[in-house]
Amino acid sequence: MKHITLIGDSHLRALQLAVKPFQNQQGLVWQVCITFDPPFAPPFSESEGAIRINPHLLKEFGKTQAIVCSIGGNHHNVMGLVEHPQAFDFCSPELPELPLRQDRQFIPYSLVRAQLTFVLEKNVFRYLREIQNISKVQVFYIESPPPASSEHIKKNAAPFSEMLTSYDVAPLFLRRKLWKLHSKLIEEFCDENGIRFLHCPKEAMEADGTLVEELANSDPTHGNEAYGKLQLEHLRSALLEHFANL
Amino acid sequence: MSDSIFNPYTSLPDSAFWRKAVSELHPDDIRPLLSPPYELSADTAIATAGSCFAQHISTRLERSGANILRTEVAHPLIFKEVADDFFFNAYSARFGNIYTSRQLLQLFQRAYGILVPAEEYWRSADRTSFLDPFRPTITPGGYWSKEELSIARKKHLAAVRQMFEKMDILIFTMGLTECWRSRIDGSVFPVCPGVAGGVFDAEKYEFLNLNVQDICNDFSVFLQLLASKNPDAKIILTVSPVNIVATREQRHVVESSICTKSILRAACDQITREHEQVSYFPSYEMAIASYTRGNFYTENCRAITEAGANFVSRAFISHFFGSRLDGASQKPAAVDTFAQQMEAACKVLCDEELLEKLIE
């Protein structure tokens, strides 16, 4: 049996809910460490500028054959889930077919990229770097779910309900650009640091780029148990391929 | 007839005599200034532009409560640290450093479509992005397409027009005489092509070292153009005391640096004599005068220390504002309450208890 340790925040919840039928199947044992849960909270601490990993996590890492991370994953939503009163837009090399709306404040792509990188460095990259540094096994990172449809967000608005009484949901084209850029930045980081980035399953996405409604949790950004199941199937394939190639 | 012998110096103030104005004073007490040509208030809309030394004055003026005009600001979602890297808070608009009088003139001409340079873009050194040849260093990562660069330039030039039309005062710090220009249309660049993007080609670009007359001519044209858009605008000229980084002239860099500053200083003198809306502030003199004994220079003897920049800025504020700036009118740092709300909501969203509830 090979032990797989999954570590992450709220996006990992969907996988945790779906993991039971995957246990001990095809030679894999799964340990889900959600960073809110004791004894893994807080997952990281800082002392004299150095990051320390929670000893319970270190113990898990010590007996694992692969580490799968889903740390962070919502920073694009902070920038653009709800329409900012100063509506903005940017050119997206990742999605060049999407329009650039001239009636919105133009922000250069490199500036949006720099802003997201700044936030990711502070909240995600430095932790991933630390995990990669201490890890003796392959580290994976799973992409955040694609943006939900505007209708889904409006119907499942909490905790944005109050904001959405004053502001609208940001248009899908902008949310898709931000999600894609967020994913690209993490993927680039992963490539540079020897971490394998796993895209979300194609089946999870509608033709318009939104998360399939049946896979969306009853909140504006997360996947549900069915999404978790789909993710685990993809993850399992990637892991088995990885072990086969060792 | 009086016993004393009259000559043109007898009725002059102490400031006209080195012994009384310098030798007999402690260096810290020396202010090489007479009365200001006019007074500025906390409401005066001040635009700033120039070589890197201009940033020192601009930052300190704003910190003291002066009304620094900003016509090109970052979106509130962009953190200040990030915006600073993109030169948003250095000058009134995002034009980067303007080292020469020709650059200033051409900035105005480009903003109003009088000059449409043939040089539309440079490629970054790694050829992955496009750069604006007229501000190649202020967008880290450049632009990903020519179209994006073109949109950014249009927005930028609109902000520049707004600056020229809204400002009461422009503080312009001259830094260099040496520059590189296009052989096609004479457009000058802030840095030599090939240094921060683009490719140097001797058939396309040529070296230009402005002389006093060139600078005076540039300013005459600039002032005429400016008056057509903003007849009441005034200019305060300064010369950067920062020594030049390199020279393309066949002479030692020290000789070129002193020559550059001398030409700029002489041009300022002529411009202020010829144009009543232009005055001069001696920040250069305050930093380099012999009584400072080089104390305001950093270890490399090229740049100015924080203390030097503070000294000059305090003198500027005291000279033009008197006690009318006390920092009280300083604009509080913009806080994007929307971003704070979003951050809080996302945090709640990721909170385990709430998520648990949602799943249930």
Side-chain angles (χ1 to χ4, degrees):
Chain A
M1 282 289 172
K2 293 201 186 302
H3 281 257
I4 311 301
T5 303
L6 293 95
I7 167 181
D9 307 320
S10 54
H11 286 305
L12 201 54
R13 191 61 162 151
L15 281 77
Q16 189 187 38
L17 290 168
V19 79
K20 208 173 169 187
F22 288 80
Q23 288 291 12
N24 301 313
Q25 298 295 308
Q26 301 191 36
L28 301 179
V29 177
W30 306 78
Q31 170 69 38
V32 182
C33 310
I34 295 202
T35 57
F36 309 123
D37 286 343
F40 307 116
F44 306 102
S45 57
E46 262 188 275
S47 167
E48 294 169 353
I51 294 168
R52 290 175 198 278
I53 299 178
N54 181 315
H56 295 281
L57 279 174
L58 285 176
K59 205 174 155 192
E60 291 298 329
F61 293 166
K63 60 185 182 192
T64 198
Q65 272 81 48
I67 298 172
V68 181
C69 300
S70 172
I71 296 167
N74 258 331
H75 295 101
H76 55 299
N77 288 319
V78 176
M79 274 192 92
L81 182 89
V82 179
E83 181 85 297
H84 193 281
Q86 226 168 292
F88 67 95
D89 197 3
F90 64 101
C91 299
S92 167
E94 293 83 30
L95 295 166
E97 69 279 12
L98 293 183
L100 177 77
R101 288 265 302 272
Q102 299 292 335
D103 56 338
R104 299 169 149 256
Q105 180 173 343
F106 165 78
I107 307 182
Y109 169 75
S110 50
L111 181 53
V112 184
R113 197 184 148 94
Q115 170 66 23
L116 265 177
T117 305
F118 184 86
V119 176
L120 286 170
E121 177 57 44
K122 205 171 154 193
N123 297 289
V124 179
F125 293 166
R126 62 192 187 128
Y127 299 132
L128 287 180
R129 212 175 277 123
E130 196 55 31
I131 290 173
Q132 175 71 346
N133 281 346
I134 59 117
S135 173
K136 293 182 175 67
V137 297
Q138 179 65 49
V139 179
F140 293 80
Y141 187 96
I142 47 178
E143 188 180 24
S144 312
S149 69
S150 300
E151 294 70 36
H152 177 87
I153 295 171
K154 282 174 195 164
K155 269 189 224 154
N156 301 276
F160 299 95
S161 318
E162 202 185 318
M163 288 190 82
L164 289 173
T165 58
S166 313
Y167 312 107
D168 207 352
V169 174
L172 179 60
F173 74 86
L174 180 67
R175 291 188 292 115
R176 283 186 65 203
K177 288 180 185 181
L178 286 167
W179 173 70
K180 206 72 185 166
L181 174 57
H182 177 262
S183 294
K184 188 187 177 183
L185 291 171
I186 298 178
E187 188 175 5
E188 283 177 1
F189 173 86
C190 288
D191 288 349
E192 284 163 18
N193 288 277
I195 298 171
R196 272 192 64 188
F197 181 85
L198 298 176
H199 288 275
C200 82
K202 281 197 178 100
E203 309 92 286
M205 231 187 297
E206 298 283 6
D208 68 355
T210 56
L211 177 63
V212 169
E213 183 58 29
E214 290 71 33
L215 302 178
N217 194 33
S218 50
D219 71 70
T221 64
H222 296 101
N224 60 14
E225 186 177 337
Y227 180 80
K229 181 173 176 279
L230 192 60
Q231 269 279 20
L232 282 168
E233 283 165 359
H234 278 253
L235 179 56
R236 183 168 60 190
S237 300
L239 288 165
L240 292 175
E241 189 193 321
H242 165 69
F243 292 131
N245 290 330
L246 281 180
Chain B
M1 269 251 344
S2 153
D3 284 348
S4 60
I5 300 164
F6 175 82
N7 69 52
Y9 293 90
T10 50
S11 58
L12 294 181
D14 288 357
S15 59
F17 299 95
W18 191 270
R19 184 172 58 80
K20 289 177 180 169
V22 179
S23 309
E24 290 178 358
L25 296 179
H26 188 277
D28 292 348
D29 297 328
I30 300 167
R31 296 285 183 280
L33 296 159
L34 301 182
S35 55
Y38 43 80
E39 291 177 343
L40 302 180
S41 75
D43 296 328
T44 310
I46 300 171
T48 62
S51 74
C52 49
F53 187 71
Q55 289 175 48
H56 290 300
I57 294 184
S58 175
T59 312
R60 284 162 179 80
L61 273 175
E62 190 158 49
R63 233 183 270 154
S64 301
N67 176 22
I68 299 292
L69 181 64
R70 302 243 179 246
T71 58
E72 194 170 12
V73 293
H75 190 281
L77 281 172
I78 307 296
F79 291 177
K80 187 180 179 304
E81 298 94 320
V82 180
D84 283 350
D85 285 346
F86 279 70
F87 248 73
F88 269 101
N89 304 309
Y91 301 113
S92 293
R94 236 180 115 239
F95 32 66
N97 291 335
I98 298 178
Y99 298 101
T100 61
S101 56
R102 188 65 51 88
Q103 245 186 293
L104 177 67
L105 168 62
Q106 291 185 355
L107 175 68
F108 190 101
Q109 292 172 324
R110 287 192 295 116
Y112 288 93
I114 302 164
L115 171 67
V116 182
E119 196 93 346
E120 287 184 20
Y121 63 88
W122 285 350
R123 298 302 299 266
S124 58
D126 60 6
R127 298 192 66 76
T128 58
S129 61
F130 296 86
L131 304 172
D132 187 337
F134 302 98
R135 41 182 199 149
T137 59
I138 67 164
T139 303
Y143 300 93
W144 79 277
S145 70
K146 284 183 261 182
E147 293 71 30
E148 192 196 24
L149 166 55
S150 167
I151 294 165
R153 181 182 289 146
K154 269 183 207 156
K155 305 270 179 196
H156 164 61
L157 292 177
V160 172
R161 290 196 293 277
Q162 215 185 343
M163 179 193 84
F164 281 131
E165 288 164 29
K166 280 190 168 179
M167 68 187 193
D168 297 318
I169 298 283
L170 169 66
I171 303 174
F172 182 65
T173 302
M174 297 205 208
L176 296 178
T177 55
E178 294 187 23
C179 55
W180 291 85
R181 71 175 165 190
S182 161
R183 287 182 190 272
I184 299 167
D185 57 15
S187 300
V188 296
F189 309 104
V191 288
C192 177
V195 171
V199 178
F200 185 76
D201 178 347
E203 287 187 5
K204 282 173 72 181
Y205 310 112
E206 65 183 351
F207 175 68
L208 170 70
N209 197 356
L210 300 166
N211 61 30
V212 173
Q213 203 48 53
D214 293 329
I215 297 167
C216 293
N217 290 345
D218 285 345
F219 253 86
S220 291
V221 180
F222 169 68
L223 292 170
Q224 210 177 342
L225 290 169
L226 179 62
S228 70
K229 300 292 176 189
N230 185 349
D232 297 325
K234 292 185 172 66
I235 314 284
I236 298 172
L237 289 178
T238 67
V239 171
S240 167
V242 177
N243 284 297
I244 67 174
V245 171
T247 183
R248 185 63 181 79
E249 292 284 0
Q250 291 297 308
R251 61 188 177 203
H252 195 281
V253 67
V254 170
E255 186 186 344
S256 271
S257 191
I258 291 173
C259 184
T260 293
K261 303 300 171 182
S262 305
I263 288 169
L264 294 175
R265 184 60 192 92
C268 285
D269 190 64
Q270 196 171 322
I271 294 164
T272 51
R273 286 172 194 274
E274 289 173 357
H275 304 279
E276 62 175 358
Q277 71 273 44
V278 185
S279 52
Y280 177 75
F281 181 78
S283 51
Y284 171 70
E285 288 80 348
M286 285 184 202
I288 69 132
S290 53
Y291 59 79
T292 66
R293 299 179 196 281
N295 285 338
F296 286 149
Y297 279 89
T298 54
E299 219 167 273
N300 64 9
C301 300
R302 193 184 82 80
I304 296 297
T305 59
E306 282 285 302
N310 287 338
F311 182 84
V312 169
S313 304
R314 274 199 304 271
F316 185 97
I317 290 166
S318 152
H319 186 59
F320 281 103
F321 290 93
S323 57
R324 290 179 296 284
L325 282 188
D326 55 5
S329 56
Q330 187 177 3
K331 291 176 207 157
V335 176
D336 187 20
T337 50
F338 177 90
Q340 286 178 336
Q341 281 176 277
M342 280 301 288
E343 187 88 48
C346 279
K347 208 172 169 188
V348 171
L349 181 68
C350 297
D351 182 89
E352 174 69 350
E353 279 182 25
L354 180 84
L355 207 59
E356 202 75 76
K357 257 187 236 166
L358 291 171
I359 290 160
E360 281 163 18

